[in-house]
Amino acid sequence: MIPSLLITPQPRSSPLAIDKPTVLTLIAASLLVSETFAGALRYYLDIAGVSALLYLPKLACVAAVALELPRARIKAGVWLVLFALVVSALLALLHGASPSNVGFSVFIYIPLLFGLVCGSYVERRIGLLGWVIGLCLVASLIGIALDMYTSVPWKGYSYMMGDVELSGNRSWAVGSIDRLAGFARMSTNLAVMIALYSLFLAAFLQSRLLRMMLYPLAFGAIFLTTNKSTAAAYLLTLMMLFLAGYRMPSATAFFIAVMVGLALPVISLLLNIPQSEAYSESLLSSFNDRLINSWPNFIEVIVNEGWGWWGAGVGAVGSAAAAFPLAWLELLSVADNTALYLWGMLGMFGVLLYLLLFPLLLRLHDRGSRIRDALLGIVFCICLIGWATDVLEVVTATLFIGMAIAHALTPRDASQGTRYSQIETGPTHSALNNLRPQ
Protein backbone atom coordinates (compact mmCIF):
# COMPACT_ATOMS: atom_id res chain seq x y z
CA MET A 1 0.00 0.00 0.00
CA ILE A 2 2.99 2.30 0.57
CA PRO A 3 3.56 3.59 -2.94
CA SER A 4 6.59 1.51 -3.97
CA LEU A 5 5.16 1.54 -7.48
CA LEU A 6 4.68 5.29 -7.60
CA ILE A 7 6.07 7.37 -10.41
CA THR A 8 9.69 8.36 -9.73
CA PRO A 9 11.47 11.35 -11.19
CA GLN A 10 13.64 10.83 -14.25
CA PRO A 11 16.53 11.37 -14.25
CA ARG A 12 17.11 10.62 -10.56
CA SER A 13 18.32 13.57 -8.57
CA SER A 14 20.42 13.40 -5.45
CA PRO A 15 18.33 12.87 -2.28
CA LEU A 16 20.26 15.78 -0.79
CA ALA A 17 19.46 18.13 -3.66
CA ILE A 18 17.24 20.99 -2.51
CA ASP A 19 15.46 23.03 -5.15
CA LYS A 20 12.23 24.98 -5.28
CA PRO A 21 9.97 21.99 -6.20
CA THR A 22 11.48 19.97 -3.33
CA VAL A 23 11.04 22.76 -0.80
CA LEU A 24 7.44 23.41 -1.83
CA THR A 25 6.66 19.69 -1.82
CA LEU A 26 8.08 19.40 1.70
CA ILE A 27 5.81 22.27 2.76
CA ALA A 28 2.81 20.44 1.27
CA ALA A 29 3.97 17.24 3.00
CA SER A 30 4.27 19.02 6.36
CA LEU A 31 0.74 20.32 5.91
CA LEU A 32 -0.60 16.80 5.30
CA VAL A 33 1.38 15.32 8.20
CA SER A 34 0.24 18.01 10.63
CA GLU A 35 -3.37 17.44 9.59
CA THR A 36 -3.07 13.65 9.84
CA PHE A 37 -1.72 13.89 13.41
CA ALA A 38 -3.57 17.10 14.36
CA GLY A 39 -5.36 15.70 17.41
CA ALA A 40 -2.29 14.10 18.97
CA LEU A 41 -0.02 17.03 18.05
CA ARG A 42 -2.33 19.57 19.64
CA TYR A 43 -2.32 17.55 22.86
CA TYR A 44 1.43 17.00 23.15
CA LEU A 45 2.44 20.45 21.90
CA ASP A 46 0.06 22.10 24.38
CA ILE A 47 1.45 19.95 27.20
CA ALA A 48 4.92 21.14 26.20
CA GLY A 49 3.70 24.74 26.09
CA VAL A 50 4.47 25.19 22.39
CA SER A 51 1.02 24.69 20.84
CA ALA A 52 1.70 27.47 18.32
CA LEU A 53 4.23 25.20 16.55
CA LEU A 54 1.31 23.33 15.00
CA TYR A 55 0.71 26.32 12.74
CA LEU A 56 4.22 26.33 11.24
CA PRO A 57 3.16 24.39 8.08
CA LYS A 58 0.43 26.93 7.34
CA LEU A 59 2.79 29.81 8.03
CA ALA A 60 5.20 28.19 5.57
CA CYS A 61 2.35 28.09 3.05
CA VAL A 62 1.69 31.79 3.64
CA ALA A 63 5.37 32.59 3.04
CA ALA A 64 5.51 30.43 -0.09
CA VAL A 65 2.39 32.04 -1.55
CA ALA A 66 3.64 35.55 -0.72
CA LEU A 67 6.93 34.85 -2.51
CA GLU A 68 5.46 33.04 -5.50
CA LEU A 69 2.25 34.96 -6.16
CA PRO A 70 3.85 38.12 -7.65
CA ARG A 71 5.62 36.11 -10.37
CA ALA A 72 3.08 33.34 -10.84
CA ARG A 73 1.45 33.05 -14.26
CA ILE A 74 -2.15 33.24 -13.10
CA LYS A 75 -5.06 33.70 -15.48
CA ALA A 76 -7.14 36.85 -15.28
CA GLY A 77 -10.15 34.91 -13.98
CA VAL A 78 -8.20 33.74 -10.93
CA TRP A 79 -7.11 37.31 -10.16
CA LEU A 80 -10.78 38.33 -10.42
CA VAL A 81 -11.74 35.68 -7.85
CA LEU A 82 -8.98 36.81 -5.48
CA PHE A 83 -10.12 40.43 -5.84
CA ALA A 84 -13.72 39.37 -5.12
CA LEU A 85 -12.57 37.63 -1.93
CA VAL A 86 -10.86 40.81 -0.75
CA VAL A 87 -14.05 42.79 -1.42
CA SER A 88 -16.05 40.13 0.42
CA ALA A 89 -13.73 40.40 3.43
CA LEU A 90 -14.39 44.15 3.55
CA LEU A 91 -18.10 43.42 3.32
CA ALA A 92 -17.83 41.08 6.30
CA LEU A 93 -16.27 43.89 8.33
CA LEU A 94 -19.23 46.11 7.44
CA HIS A 95 -21.55 43.34 8.64
CA GLY A 96 -19.94 43.32 12.08
CA ALA A 97 -17.11 40.84 11.67
CA SER A 98 -13.75 41.65 13.24
CA PRO A 99 -10.31 41.55 11.60
CA SER A 100 -9.77 38.34 13.58
CA ASN A 101 -12.64 36.73 11.65
CA VAL A 102 -11.09 37.68 8.33
CA GLY A 103 -7.59 36.63 9.38
CA PHE A 104 -8.85 33.28 10.65
CA SER A 105 -10.61 32.66 7.33
CA VAL A 106 -7.47 33.47 5.35
CA PHE A 107 -5.61 30.95 7.51
CA ILE A 108 -8.28 28.34 6.74
CA TYR A 109 -8.12 28.83 2.98
CA ILE A 110 -4.35 29.24 2.61
CA PRO A 111 -3.85 25.54 1.66
CA LEU A 112 -6.14 26.09 -1.35
CA LEU A 113 -4.18 29.15 -2.41
CA PHE A 114 -0.91 27.27 -1.88
CA GLY A 115 -2.10 24.43 -4.10
CA LEU A 116 -3.22 26.92 -6.75
CA VAL A 117 -0.01 28.97 -6.81
CA CYS A 118 2.58 26.28 -6.05
CA GLY A 119 0.85 23.12 -7.29
CA SER A 120 2.84 22.94 -10.53
CA TYR A 121 6.08 22.74 -8.54
CA VAL A 122 4.69 20.06 -6.24
CA GLU A 123 3.76 17.95 -9.28
CA ARG A 124 7.43 17.79 -10.26
CA ARG A 125 8.17 15.93 -7.04
CA ILE A 126 5.00 13.88 -7.03
CA GLY A 127 6.92 10.74 -6.04
CA LEU A 128 8.05 12.37 -2.79
CA LEU A 129 4.53 13.57 -2.07
CA GLY A 130 3.23 10.08 -2.80
CA TRP A 131 5.49 8.52 -0.19
CA VAL A 132 4.31 11.03 2.40
CA ILE A 133 0.68 10.35 1.53
CA GLY A 134 1.27 6.61 1.78
CA LEU A 135 2.79 6.99 5.23
CA CYS A 136 -0.06 9.28 6.30
CA LEU A 137 -2.59 6.67 5.16
CA VAL A 138 -0.83 3.94 7.14
CA ALA A 139 -0.71 6.24 10.18
CA SER A 140 -4.43 6.95 9.81
CA LEU A 141 -5.22 3.23 9.85
CA ILE A 142 -3.00 2.71 12.90
CA GLY A 143 -4.74 5.63 14.60
CA ILE A 144 -8.14 4.00 14.09
CA ALA A 145 -6.86 0.79 15.69
CA LEU A 146 -5.45 2.70 18.68
CA ASP A 147 -8.69 4.62 19.11
CA MET A 148 -10.70 1.40 18.99
CA TYR A 149 -8.70 -0.70 21.42
CA THR A 150 -6.97 1.80 23.71
CA SER A 151 -7.74 5.04 25.49
CA VAL A 152 -5.78 7.75 23.71
CA PRO A 153 -4.96 10.78 25.92
CA TRP A 154 -5.94 13.42 23.36
CA LYS A 155 -9.53 12.20 23.08
CA GLY A 156 -11.86 15.12 23.82
CA TYR A 157 -8.96 17.46 24.61
CA SER A 158 -9.30 21.23 24.24
CA TYR A 159 -6.91 24.09 25.01
CA MET A 160 -6.66 27.85 24.97
CA MET A 161 -4.85 29.89 22.32
CA GLY A 162 -4.95 33.41 23.67
CA ASP A 163 -8.60 34.15 24.44
CA VAL A 164 -9.91 31.45 22.08
CA GLU A 165 -10.69 27.90 23.17
CA LEU A 166 -9.68 25.41 20.49
CA SER A 167 -10.59 21.75 20.16
CA GLY A 168 -7.59 19.44 20.13
CA ASN A 169 -9.78 16.43 19.45
CA ARG A 170 -13.54 16.29 19.29
CA SER A 171 -14.91 13.28 21.17
CA TRP A 172 -18.44 12.45 20.10
CA ALA A 173 -20.67 9.48 19.43
CA VAL A 174 -23.73 8.35 17.49
CA GLY A 175 -25.95 6.76 20.09
CA SER A 176 -23.66 4.30 21.87
CA ILE A 177 -21.18 4.13 18.97
CA ASP A 178 -17.98 6.13 19.37
CA ARG A 179 -16.88 8.14 16.33
CA LEU A 180 -13.23 7.20 15.88
CA ALA A 181 -10.83 10.01 15.03
CA GLY A 182 -7.47 8.25 15.46
CA PHE A 183 -4.65 10.80 15.50
CA ALA A 184 -6.84 13.44 13.78
CA ARG A 185 -8.99 16.17 15.31
CA MET A 186 -12.33 14.59 14.49
CA SER A 187 -13.79 11.59 12.69
CA THR A 188 -15.01 13.64 9.72
CA ASN A 189 -11.49 14.87 8.94
CA LEU A 190 -10.08 11.36 9.32
CA ALA A 191 -12.64 9.85 6.96
CA VAL A 192 -12.00 12.51 4.32
CA MET A 193 -8.23 12.06 4.58
CA ILE A 194 -8.43 8.27 4.19
CA ALA A 195 -10.68 8.64 1.14
CA LEU A 196 -8.45 11.20 -0.59
CA TYR A 197 -5.17 9.51 0.31
CA SER A 198 -6.32 6.16 -1.04
CA LEU A 199 -7.67 7.68 -4.28
CA PHE A 200 -4.35 9.44 -4.82
CA LEU A 201 -2.28 6.31 -4.25
CA ALA A 202 -4.53 4.10 -6.37
CA ALA A 203 -3.94 6.27 -9.43
CA PHE A 204 -0.23 5.48 -9.28
CA LEU A 205 -0.40 1.75 -8.52
CA GLN A 206 0.19 -0.22 -11.71
CA SER A 207 -1.06 -3.47 -10.15
CA ARG A 208 -4.83 -3.88 -10.36
CA LEU A 209 -4.64 -6.41 -7.52
CA LEU A 210 -3.10 -3.83 -5.19
CA ARG A 211 -5.79 -1.34 -6.09
CA MET A 212 -8.49 -3.91 -5.46
CA MET A 213 -6.95 -4.50 -2.02
CA LEU A 214 -6.55 -0.80 -1.27
CA TYR A 215 -10.15 0.20 -2.03
CA PRO A 216 -11.93 -2.15 0.44
CA LEU A 217 -9.30 -1.49 3.11
CA ALA A 218 -9.87 2.26 2.81
CA PHE A 219 -13.65 1.86 2.74
CA GLY A 220 -13.55 -0.32 5.86
CA ALA A 221 -11.51 2.32 7.68
CA ILE A 222 -13.93 5.07 6.59
CA PHE A 223 -16.84 2.92 7.75
CA LEU A 224 -15.25 2.58 11.20
CA THR A 225 -15.24 6.37 11.57
CA THR A 226 -19.06 6.17 11.21
CA ASN A 227 -18.92 9.05 8.72
CA LYS A 228 -21.72 7.96 6.42
CA SER A 229 -21.48 10.83 3.93
CA THR A 230 -17.80 10.15 3.19
CA ALA A 231 -18.38 6.40 2.96
CA ALA A 232 -21.18 6.92 0.42
CA ALA A 233 -19.10 9.48 -1.50
CA TYR A 234 -16.18 7.04 -1.67
CA LEU A 235 -18.33 4.23 -3.08
CA LEU A 236 -19.90 6.54 -5.67
CA THR A 237 -16.44 7.77 -6.67
CA LEU A 238 -15.27 4.20 -7.27
CA MET A 239 -18.34 3.62 -9.45
CA MET A 240 -17.47 6.74 -11.45
CA LEU A 241 -13.89 5.56 -11.94
CA PHE A 242 -15.04 2.20 -13.30
CA LEU A 243 -17.18 4.02 -15.87
CA ALA A 244 -14.69 6.79 -16.62
CA GLY A 245 -13.87 5.34 -20.04
CA TYR A 246 -17.13 6.70 -21.39
CA ARG A 247 -17.32 10.44 -21.88
CA MET A 248 -21.10 10.96 -21.73
CA PRO A 249 -21.80 8.83 -18.62
CA SER A 250 -18.89 10.53 -16.87
CA ALA A 251 -20.11 14.02 -17.79
CA THR A 252 -23.59 13.07 -16.60
CA ALA A 253 -22.18 11.87 -13.28
CA PHE A 254 -20.25 15.12 -12.88
CA PHE A 255 -23.33 17.22 -13.62
CA ILE A 256 -25.51 15.26 -11.18
CA ALA A 257 -22.85 15.43 -8.45
CA VAL A 258 -22.60 19.21 -8.71
CA MET A 259 -26.31 19.93 -9.07
CA VAL A 260 -27.45 17.65 -6.24
CA GLY A 261 -25.12 19.48 -3.87
CA LEU A 262 -26.75 22.74 -4.91
CA ALA A 263 -30.30 21.38 -4.82
CA LEU A 264 -30.29 19.73 -1.39
CA PRO A 265 -30.53 22.96 0.68
CA VAL A 266 -33.33 24.19 -1.60
CA ILE A 267 -35.19 20.90 -1.20
CA SER A 268 -34.96 21.26 2.59
CA LEU A 269 -37.23 24.30 2.32
CA LEU A 270 -39.90 22.31 0.51
CA LEU A 271 -40.07 19.23 2.71
CA ASN A 272 -42.15 18.81 5.85
CA ILE A 273 -40.32 16.19 7.89
CA PRO A 274 -41.37 15.64 11.54
CA GLN A 275 -38.94 17.22 14.00
CA SER A 276 -38.57 13.89 15.81
CA GLU A 277 -36.74 12.42 12.80
CA ALA A 278 -33.76 14.66 13.56
CA TYR A 279 -33.27 12.99 16.94
CA SER A 280 -33.96 9.36 16.04
CA GLU A 281 -31.27 6.68 16.04
CA SER A 282 -31.78 5.79 12.39
CA LEU A 283 -28.96 5.87 9.84
CA LEU A 284 -30.44 9.02 8.29
CA SER A 285 -30.87 10.97 11.52
CA SER A 286 -27.94 13.33 10.87
CA PHE A 287 -29.10 13.90 7.29
CA ASN A 288 -32.64 14.55 8.51
CA ASP A 289 -31.26 17.05 11.01
CA ARG A 290 -29.71 18.95 8.11
CA LEU A 291 -32.99 18.89 6.19
CA ILE A 292 -35.05 19.95 9.20
CA ASN A 293 -32.75 22.32 11.08
CA SER A 294 -29.29 23.14 9.71
CA TRP A 295 -30.03 24.13 6.11
CA PRO A 296 -33.38 25.94 6.58
CA ASN A 297 -32.07 27.87 9.61
CA PHE A 298 -28.90 28.90 7.79
CA ILE A 299 -30.89 30.08 4.77
CA GLU A 300 -33.34 31.96 7.02
CA VAL A 301 -30.53 33.95 8.66
CA ILE A 302 -28.95 34.94 5.33
CA VAL A 303 -32.30 35.92 3.79
CA ASN A 304 -33.52 37.83 6.86
CA GLU A 305 -30.29 39.83 6.95
CA GLY A 306 -30.69 40.68 3.27
CA TRP A 307 -27.42 39.01 2.27
CA GLY A 308 -28.79 36.66 -0.37
CA TRP A 309 -27.09 38.41 -3.30
CA TRP A 310 -23.70 39.36 -1.86
CA GLY A 311 -23.34 37.02 1.11
CA ALA A 312 -22.27 37.66 4.69
CA GLY A 313 -18.63 38.02 3.65
CA VAL A 314 -15.37 36.16 4.20
CA GLY A 315 -14.98 35.57 7.93
CA ALA A 316 -18.67 35.72 8.83
CA VAL A 317 -19.40 32.09 7.91
CA GLY A 318 -17.90 28.79 9.07
CA SER A 319 -15.16 28.13 11.62
CA ALA A 320 -14.14 31.79 11.69
CA ALA A 321 -17.62 32.67 12.93
CA ALA A 322 -17.36 29.88 15.53
CA ALA A 323 -13.91 30.92 16.79
CA PHE A 324 -14.84 34.63 16.88
CA PRO A 325 -18.64 34.64 17.31
CA LEU A 326 -20.74 37.36 15.77
CA ALA A 327 -23.71 38.51 17.81
CA TRP A 328 -27.03 36.97 16.63
CA LEU A 329 -25.27 35.09 13.81
CA GLU A 330 -24.30 31.87 15.63
CA LEU A 331 -26.18 29.75 13.09
CA LEU A 332 -23.71 30.75 10.37
CA SER A 333 -20.85 28.84 12.00
CA VAL A 334 -21.88 25.59 10.27
CA ALA A 335 -23.59 25.19 6.90
CA ASP A 336 -23.12 21.40 6.46
CA ASN A 337 -23.18 21.86 2.69
CA THR A 338 -20.44 23.35 0.53
CA ALA A 339 -22.75 25.07 -1.96
CA LEU A 340 -24.73 26.62 0.91
CA TYR A 341 -21.48 27.59 2.61
CA LEU A 342 -20.25 29.46 -0.48
CA TRP A 343 -23.62 31.12 -1.01
CA GLY A 344 -23.78 32.26 2.61
CA MET A 345 -20.27 33.69 2.42
CA LEU A 346 -20.13 35.09 -1.13
CA GLY A 347 -23.75 35.26 -2.28
CA MET A 348 -24.47 34.46 -5.92
CA PHE A 349 -20.77 34.75 -6.75
CA GLY A 350 -20.24 31.81 -4.39
CA VAL A 351 -22.86 29.80 -6.28
CA LEU A 352 -21.01 30.56 -9.51
CA LEU A 353 -17.73 29.37 -7.98
CA TYR A 354 -19.41 26.17 -6.85
CA LEU A 355 -20.81 25.51 -10.35
CA LEU A 356 -17.28 25.78 -11.76
CA LEU A 357 -16.69 22.34 -10.28
CA PHE A 358 -18.41 20.91 -13.35
CA PRO A 359 -15.98 22.31 -15.98
CA LEU A 360 -13.10 21.46 -13.62
CA LEU A 361 -14.17 17.82 -13.55
CA LEU A 362 -14.61 17.78 -17.33
CA ARG A 363 -11.11 19.19 -17.76
CA LEU A 364 -9.59 16.62 -15.42
CA HIS A 365 -11.42 13.83 -17.24
CA ASP A 366 -9.36 14.41 -20.39
CA ARG A 367 -6.83 11.63 -20.81
CA GLY A 368 -3.43 12.62 -19.53
CA SER A 369 -0.95 11.95 -16.78
CA ARG A 370 -1.43 9.89 -13.66
CA ILE A 371 -1.68 13.01 -11.51
CA ARG A 372 -4.68 14.06 -13.60
CA ASP A 373 -6.29 10.67 -12.94
CA ALA A 374 -5.64 11.05 -9.22
CA LEU A 375 -7.04 14.58 -9.08
CA LEU A 376 -10.17 13.55 -11.01
CA GLY A 377 -11.16 10.95 -8.42
CA ILE A 378 -10.22 13.26 -5.55
CA VAL A 379 -12.20 16.28 -6.81
CA PHE A 380 -15.24 14.14 -7.62
CA CYS A 381 -15.14 12.61 -4.13
CA ILE A 382 -14.74 16.06 -2.55
CA CYS A 383 -17.77 17.27 -4.52
CA LEU A 384 -19.87 14.40 -3.14
CA ILE A 385 -18.59 14.87 0.41
CA GLY A 386 -19.56 18.52 0.06
CA TRP A 387 -23.23 17.55 -0.13
CA ALA A 388 -23.29 17.31 3.68
CA THR A 389 -19.98 18.89 4.77
CA ASP A 390 -18.28 22.28 4.72
CA VAL A 391 -15.46 20.59 2.84
CA LEU A 392 -13.63 23.87 2.14
CA GLU A 393 -12.56 23.86 5.79
CA VAL A 394 -10.82 20.49 5.52
CA VAL A 395 -7.12 21.17 4.91
CA THR A 396 -6.44 18.04 2.86
CA ALA A 397 -9.40 18.70 0.58
CA THR A 398 -8.55 22.35 -0.06
CA LEU A 399 -4.91 21.55 -0.85
CA PHE A 400 -5.95 19.03 -3.49
CA ILE A 401 -8.61 21.36 -4.92
CA GLY A 402 -5.98 24.06 -5.35
CA MET A 403 -3.64 21.61 -7.08
CA ALA A 404 -6.49 20.43 -9.33
CA ILE A 405 -7.35 23.98 -10.40
CA ALA A 406 -3.68 24.73 -11.11
CA HIS A 407 -3.38 21.53 -13.16
CA ALA A 408 -6.57 22.21 -15.11
CA LEU A 409 -5.56 25.79 -15.93
CA THR A 410 -2.18 24.72 -17.28
CA PRO A 411 -2.21 24.30 -21.09
CA ARG A 412 -2.12 20.65 -22.11
CA ASP A 413 1.13 21.06 -24.08
CA ALA A 414 2.83 22.65 -21.12
CA SER A 415 1.59 20.06 -18.65
CA GLN A 416 2.73 17.18 -20.83
CA GLY A 417 5.99 18.84 -21.80
CA THR A 418 7.77 21.11 -19.40
CA ARG A 419 6.12 20.01 -16.20
CA TYR A 420 6.34 16.29 -16.88
CA SER A 421 9.60 16.13 -18.74
CA GLN A 422 11.23 14.90 -15.52
CA ILE A 423 8.53 12.41 -14.59
CA GLU A 424 8.38 8.85 -15.80
CA THR A 425 4.94 8.28 -17.25
CA GLY A 426 5.22 4.50 -17.36
CA PRO A 427 3.03 2.59 -19.83
CA THR A 428 0.95 4.56 -22.27
CA HIS A 429 -2.19 3.62 -20.37
CA SER A 430 -2.60 5.18 -16.93
CA ALA A 431 -3.82 3.60 -13.74
CA LEU A 432 -7.26 5.06 -14.35
CA ASN A 433 -7.36 3.55 -17.82
CA ASN A 434 -6.86 0.15 -16.19
CA LEU A 435 -10.13 0.74 -14.38
CA ARG A 436 -12.01 1.75 -17.49
CA PRO A 437 -14.04 -0.87 -19.36
CA GLN A 438 -12.19 -2.34 -22.29
Side-chain angles (χ1 to χ4, degrees):
M1 181 169 52
I2 294 178
S4 59
L5 298 179
L6 283 176
I7 294 171
T8 55
Q10 285 285 337
R12 290 182 181 273
S13 59
S14 169
L16 299 178
I18 299 296
D19 53 11
K20 182 188 287 189
T22 302
V23 171
L24 294 176
T25 302
L26 290 175
I27 292 175
S30 68
L31 197 64
L32 296 178
V33 170
S34 65
E35 187 68 9
T36 301
F37 294 93
L41 284 174
R42 286 170 185 267
Y43 173 77
Y44 288 113
L45 290 177
D46 185 55
I47 294 297
V50 289
S51 54
L53 290 180
L54 184 68
Y55 300 101
L56 283 179
K58 281 193 175 181
L59 290 175
C61 288
V62 172
V65 170
L67 291 173
E68 190 63 28
L69 189 60
R71 54 190 167 207
R73 296 180 179 178
I74 299 179
K75 293 183 179 295
V78 176
W79 285 114
L80 177 62
V81 171
L82 295 178
F83 175 75
L85 293 179
V86 173
V87 173
S88 180
L90 296 175
L91 191 63
L93 296 176
L94 292 176
H95 291 160
S98 68
S100 297
N101 289 87
V102 176
F104 197 87
S105 287
V106 172
F107 215 54
I108 290 173
Y109 309 132
I110 196 63
L112 192 154
L113 192 56
F114 174 82
L116 175 64
V117 175
C118 306
S120 60
Y121 292 104
V122 176
E123 287 186 22
R124 298 180 191 178
R125 297 305 304 269
I126 204 67
L128 173 60
L129 185 67
W131 275 101
V132 173
I133 289 176
L135 293 173
C136 286
L137 178 58
V138 172
S140 297
L141 300 179
I142 294 173
I144 288 179
L146 286 175
D147 206 353
M148 284 182 65
Y149 299 111
T150 66
S151 178
V152 294
W154 55 85
K155 192 85 169 181
Y157 184 75
S158 61
Y159 63 101
M160 297 298 295
M161 178 69 72
D163 296 330
V164 181
E165 182 179 4
L166 300 175
S167 171
N169 174 276
R170 183 178 176 185
S171 178
W172 54 325
V174 178
S176 60
I177 302 175
D178 183 30
R179 302 197 69 167
L180 304 176
F183 296 115
R185 287 188 64 193
M186 56 190 299
S187 60
T188 301
N189 288 12
L190 178 60
V192 173
M193 286 189 291
I194 292 173
L196 303 189
Y197 290 162
S198 63
L199 289 170
F200 182 93
L201 295 176
F204 293 94
L205 293 175
Q206 296 182 15
S207 169
R208 181 175 298 184
L209 176 60
L210 289 178
R211 287 198 302 276
M212 293 303 104
M213 294 171 60
L214 176 59
Y215 290 142
L217 178 63
F219 177 76
I222 295 170
F223 182 81
L224 289 175
T225 68
T226 71
N227 192 268
K228 297 180 287 294
S229 59
T230 302
Y234 190 71
L235 286 179
L236 290 173
T237 300
L238 295 183
M239 292 174 60
M240 182 278 293
L241 291 177
F242 276 103
L243 296 175
Y246 300 106
R247 177 74 175 181
M248 186 56 66
S250 297
T252 302
F254 302 157
F255 182 77
I256 292 174
V258 173
M259 295 310 297
V260 169
L262 185 63
L264 283 173
V266 178
I267 292 174
S268 71
L269 300 176
L270 306 177
L271 299 177
N272 187 20
I273 303 175
Q275 187 72 27
S276 59
E277 292 296 322
Y279 306 103
S280 67
E281 295 187 4
S282 67
L283 289 175
L284 296 177
S285 59
S286 59
F287 185 72
N288 287 334
D289 182 51
R290 290 171 171 82
L291 288 171
I292 297 169
N293 298 313
S294 300
W295 296 337
N297 291 340
F298 187 97
I299 293 172
E300 182 180 7
V301 171
I302 294 294
V303 172
N304 287 346
E305 294 294 332
W307 298 339
W309 286 103
W310 305 108
V314 172
V317 173
S319 295
F324 302 96
L326 282 70
W328 83 88
L329 297 176
E330 294 83 359
L331 290 175
L332 297 184
S333 61
V334 178
D336 278 332
N337 176 277
T338 299
L340 188 62
Y341 178 94
L342 285 170
W343 172 72
M345 182 170 60
L346 301 172
M348 298 308 297
F349 184 71
V351 175
L352 174 62
L353 289 181
Y354 176 79
L355 291 175
L356 289 177
L357 275 173
F358 179 60
L360 174 61
L361 286 165
L362 289 178
R363 176 72 173 174
L364 294 174
H365 185 263
D366 295 340
R367 292 178 183 269
S369 60
R370 291 177 185 269
I371 183 63
R372 177 166 293 199
D373 296 343
L375 292 174
L376 172 65
I378 286 172
V379 173
F380 186 78
C381 190
I382 289 173
C383 180
L384 297 180
I385 294 171
W387 289 2
T389 306
D390 299 338
V391 78
L392 290 179
E393 299 201 348
V394 179
V395 169
T396 311
T398 54
L399 175 63
F400 281 123
I401 289 174
M403 291 179 61
I405 296 172
H407 185 90
L409 291 179
T410 302
R412 174 179 283 271
D413 292 341
S415 64
Q416 291 180 346
T418 304
R419 284 166 55 189
Y420 291 97
S421 60
Q422 297 180 346
I423 296 180
E424 178 185 355
T425 56
T428 54
H429 58 279
S430 67
L432 180 57
N433 292 337
N434 289 336
L435 286 176
R436 292 169 175 164
Q438 304 297 319

